[in-house]
Amino acid sequence: MAKRIGITMRVDNAGGHNEPRDCLAQGWANYMANVSPHTFWMPLPNLGEAITDYVRQWQLDGFIFSGGNDLGSCQLRDCTEYTLLNHALRNALPVFGVCRGLQLLQQHSHGILRRCERYVHVATVHPIHLRADLLEFDAPGQANVNSYHQWAVPQHTLAPSLELLAASSDGCVEAVRHRAAPIAAVQWHPERKASPVQAELDRNFLCNTLQLEE
């Protein structure tokens, strides 16, 4: 049976309107269609603690925590994703975090975030060093990935419940997995323009974590 995956959404304010709106980058639709065309997926509204009942009603099998919104900048989204992560941990449901998703996983695990160098990590491409020996799929020791974040997890502050899978040359965590749950996260964006090497890495990370058919 095809998996049913929910993707969390950022919160934006439309210009000229005092009306917060949930939104999801259009790239996710193309990305999911290319990577796992048999998977059913849906955007998840920011409902705060009510998100638990919502995902139960839709009988979702796993979640993608998308990027956007610094942690602390939108209380409703923070509450929604914290509630969703706790629900996933209680029910052994898989989660794949993207950018903010990795930072939220670190913060949820009582780890520290710090600002990173903009010229290295904001709207750029940089190399990462992978622990290929720890991955459950073939991966190179190094790859170039896109980068769009101003907050990062310093490698030496990674929460004990998380295992390092990749880091940048300046010591920022780039990929992790949870030591006791089917949860992984990357600091880059799979749904945005990527090199062939990153695209293959993303496919393996996503499908392996969420147990999706390719």
Side-chain angles (χ1 to χ4, degrees):
M1 182 179 295
K3 293 291 181 68
R4 301 163 65 92
I5 302 298
I7 305 180
T8 64
M9 293 191 283
R10 72 173 68 208
V11 176
D12 278 342
N13 280 287
H17 300 273
N18 184 22
E19 183 182 69
R21 300 179 181 184
D22 292 335
C23 55
L24 185 68
Q26 292 178 353
W28 275 110
N30 290 332
Y31 185 73
M32 293 301 291
N34 289 332
V35 170
S36 186
H38 303 295
T39 296
F40 298 117
W41 67 273
M42 60 184 291
L44 296 177
N46 287 291
L47 300 175
E49 294 180 356
I51 192 64
T52 303
D53 290 336
Y54 187 85
V55 300
R56 283 189 180 127
Q57 289 169 1
W58 286 97
Q59 299 181 324
L60 299 184
D61 301 304
F63 312 104
I64 295 172
F65 285 15
S66 70
N69 299 126
D70 288 341
L71 292 171
S73 67
C74 179
Q75 184 177 3
L76 182 61
R77 183 177 183 187
D78 291 349
C79 179
T80 299
E81 290 184 339
Y82 265 80
T83 302
L84 194 56
L85 182 54
N86 286 329
H87 174 74
L89 286 166
R90 285 193 301 269
N91 294 279
L93 295 173
V95 175
F96 184 73
V98 171
C99 196
R100 169 194 158 97
L102 186 151
Q103 297 166 19
L104 184 134
L105 187 57
Q106 165 81 345
Q107 193 173 82
H108 181 275
S109 302
H110 307 292
I112 294 172
L113 301 176
R114 299 205 190 282
R115 285 194 177 274
C116 52
E117 295 289 350
R118 291 183 61 86
Y119 73 92
V120 177
H121 294 281
V122 178
T124 188
V125 173
H126 65 73
I128 61 168
H129 306 280
L130 291 138
R131 287 296 310 273
D133 57 311
L134 297 180
L135 297 174
E136 298 173 356
F137 51 84
D138 291 334
Q142 181 173 310
N144 289 325
V145 298
N146 59 41
S147 188
Y148 297 91
H149 60 98
Q150 59 183 344
W151 290 92
V153 178
Q155 188 172 335
H156 67 278
T157 71
L158 185 62
S161 61
L162 305 178
E163 183 174 29
L164 180 71
L165 298 179
S168 59
S169 298
D170 62 344
C172 294
V173 174
E174 291 286 336
V176 298
R177 68 183 172 199
H178 198 283
R179 294 182 183 275
I183 297 173
V186 298
Q187 189 60 72
W188 60 87
H189 284 257
E191 82 283 8
R192 295 182 180 174
K193 185 177 180 180
S195 68
V197 174
Q198 182 194 321
E200 182 63 20
L201 185 63
D202 293 340
R203 178 188 298 272
N204 285 324
F205 258 125
L206 184 77
C207 293
N208 187 271
T209 301
L210 298 178
Q211 294 297 295
L212 303 182
E213 294 182 13
E214 299 186 33

